[in-house]
Amino acid sequence: MLPINKVIINNETGFNPIWIMRQAGRYLPEFREIRSKNTDFIKLCLNEDLSAEITLQPLKRFNLDAAIIFSDILMLPYGLGQEVKFEKNFGPKLGNLNLSEIAKIDEIDFVEKIHRVYKAIKKVSSDPSLKNKNTIGFVGAPWTLLVYMINQQSPKKNLKENFFKDEFLINRVLLVIEKFLKLHIKNQIDNGANIIQIFDSWAGLLNEKDLPNYIYTPTLNLVDYVKSLNVPVICFPREIKNYKEFCEIVKPDAVNIDYNVNPKEIVQNIKIPVQGGLDPKILLTDKETLKKETIKYLEIFKDHPYIFNLGHGVLPETKPEMVEWLVNTVKDFK
Ligand code: CP3
């Protein structure tokens, strides 16, 4: 059985597999080299040879236990026909959302637009270097995708005041998102993804009263769907106020925590396997601090099924040698 599966299926403790969110990305010079020649990010995600190569780059350098496919959560709105662009020093910019257009998209058109993501997954998962490692497929959670599709850019700290103004539109879009996320998940699994992670990066923006409608119900539907395909599913409801309640309602196979929660409270309150937590900014300090903070998480989760990861994606200014130091610290921990 693969190391991460031992943790999230068998609930085994004591050997801490590790992968890192955004492990394939801008902190690696070999990624920046490819990126500088490929200025259109979406096109790069749809180039299965380059996407597979980028996915494997961090595994060539570090002793990681999983590959996460180089793609983006915004491939979903792109597949639905909404314009998606990435601007330097700005982040994603989406075009106007046209519900009647989106409601017309059929599954064949969607798959036709993004099928090269699945080809990349097939390439990666059949690569001999991944024989004893997981291939992680992923999607954005319905809520986070809704935020991008309606807000048309990152919400940074707050939603626009009139975000919830058109409830009819919001609920229709949520249903469309959910339907196509299922298809996107199924295609990733059919092409070799053997774990799915659901990123809910903007879960922390909602008030408690809105959680059932925008997070619990749509995420639970997806989690149940992934489970029905016999693949484990990890949820990352970033900055949600109550991880315990989330886990009890949504019941993922594992939960990724952010760096603002106290890991000691998590280990006491949460029964399911846990992933992540370390603040990515710690990788910008020095080796001694990094080792100390890493061991802090490992000690806290010593008797709990735990997958080492960060509390959000690795920052672009991180030195690769600090990532190497982190991975080795985790691997050497007894
Ligand atoms: O983890 C990995 O290595 C796999 C690839 C991956 C990317 N995006 C590649 C990427 C994954 C899993 C994502 C998820 C993603 N994308 C999320 C959820 C996780 C999170 O960070 O909260 C979100 C919200 C997005 C949307 C997105 N894509 C944003 C906001 C940005 C721009 C700013 C940023 O944080 O990088 C992207 C671009 C993006 N996605 C890059 C990469 C490597 C940078 C592209 C570049 O400019 O070179």
Side-chain angles (χ1 to χ4, degrees):
M1 192 182 254
L2 299 170
I4 296 181
N5 293 29
K6 285 189 190 171
V7 175
I8 56 183
I9 298 172
N10 285 5
N11 283 12
E12 285 184 39
T13 58
F15 63 104
N16 311 311
I18 175 169
W19 68 277
I20 296 170
M21 291 188 282
R22 296 285 177 94
Q23 64 188 30
R26 286 174 295 184
Y27 72 106
L28 287 178
E30 57 272 37
F31 169 74
R32 289 200 300 267
E33 163 95 39
I34 294 181
R35 181 74 168 99
S36 67
K37 294 183 208 134
N38 295 271
T39 50
D40 185 329
F41 182 74
I42 296 272
K43 267 199 190 143
L44 181 56
C45 293
L46 292 174
N47 178 329
E48 67 266 25
D49 294 330
L50 287 178
S51 161
E53 185 182 334
I54 293 169
T55 303
L56 294 171
Q57 281 175 347
L59 288 106
K60 290 208 172 100
R61 279 184 181 251
F62 318 118
N63 187 11
L64 296 159
D65 292 291
I68 177 155
I69 198 71
F70 177 77
S71 175
D72 201 89
I73 63 165
L74 300 178
M75 295 312 283
L76 188 109
Y78 174 80
L80 291 174
Q82 189 173 12
E83 194 186 359
V84 179
K85 285 197 292 205
F86 291 85
E87 277 179 21
K88 225 181 165 150
N89 304 322
F90 182 82
K93 251 194 181 164
L94 284 79
N96 286 334
L97 179 70
N98 184 333
L99 181 60
S100 54
E101 286 289 309
I102 281 185
K104 271 197 296 212
I105 286 271
D106 72 17
E107 302 198 344
I108 296 168
D109 299 335
F110 175 83
V111 173
E112 171 67 31
K113 275 200 99 166
I114 64 167
H115 72 282
R116 294 179 73 179
V117 172
Y118 312 132
K119 284 192 172 172
I121 296 180
K122 185 149 218 160
K123 256 186 127 140
V124 166
S125 64
S126 52
D127 192 278
S129 69
L130 280 197
K131 211 167 151 252
N132 295 311
K133 297 174 192 280
N134 286 98
T135 302
I136 302 176
F138 68 89
V139 291
W143 163 248
T144 284
L145 289 173
L146 182 76
V147 167
Y148 280 107
M149 288 169 75
I150 297 206
N151 206 54
Q152 297 174 257
Q153 62 182 59
S154 291
K156 308 290 178 215
K157 291 200 165 51
N158 291 302
L159 291 173
K160 284 186 198 146
E161 223 172 85
N162 58 359
F163 183 87
F164 291 103
K165 160 186 96 200
D166 193 343
E167 246 193 286
F168 173 76
L169 176 78
I170 285 193
N171 286 315
R172 284 291 306 276
V173 177
L174 261 185
L175 288 178
V176 174
I177 291 174
E178 198 181 305
K179 172 177 160 193
F180 284 92
L181 279 178
K182 286 181 179 162
L183 179 64
H184 192 36
I185 288 171
K186 172 89 167 61
N187 283 329
Q188 294 187 59
I189 293 172
D190 286 348
N191 284 282
N194 50 25
I195 294 182
I196 294 292
Q197 174 143 325
I198 302 177
F199 287 92
D200 212 346
S201 305
W202 299 111
L205 292 180
L206 282 172
N207 296 323
E208 209 176 321
K209 72 167 187 9
D210 291 319
L211 294 174
N213 191 30
Y214 296 108
I215 296 203
Y216 294 158
T217 304
T219 312
L220 177 59
N221 289 345
L222 283 187
V223 163
D224 282 346
Y225 180 71
V226 183
K227 287 181 180 172
S228 78
L229 301 173
N230 285 317
V231 165
V233 52
I234 306 171
C235 283
F236 182 22
R238 187 169 72 93
E239 289 183 10
I240 200 158
K241 277 121 206 143
N242 193 336
Y243 274 95
K244 180 172 188 274
E245 183 179 272
F246 176 90
C247 292
E248 285 168 0
I249 294 173
V250 176
K251 297 190 180 68
D253 293 293
V255 67
N256 196 105
I257 55 172
D258 64 77
Y259 55 84
N260 288 316
V261 287
N262 181 349
K264 288 188 180 144
E265 276 173 30
I266 294 287
V267 81
Q268 277 169 10
N269 291 325
I270 288 187
K271 301 279 175 283
I272 63 171
V274 172
Q275 173 176 281
L278 182 75
D279 188 340
K281 289 192 284 302
I282 302 288
L283 282 131
L284 307 180
T285 62
D286 54 87
K287 286 187 175 166
E288 203 185 318
T289 310
L290 176 57
K291 188 166 190 166
K292 199 174 108 229
E293 292 299 311
T294 302
I295 288 179
K296 187 180 102 186
Y297 275 88
L298 293 168
E299 288 285 354
I300 291 171
F301 290 102
K302 205 160 47 114
D303 301 315
H304 194 97
Y306 186 60
I307 303 161
F308 203 95
N309 204 321
L310 305 178
H312 200 187
V314 62
L315 296 163
E317 55 271 40
T318 307
K319 292 196 191 94
E321 69 173 281
M322 292 297 272
V323 175
E324 182 170 7
W325 179 255
L326 167 68
V327 175
N328 293 342
T329 303
V330 173
K331 292 289 172 187
D332 291 344
F333 181 79
K334 289 277 168 319

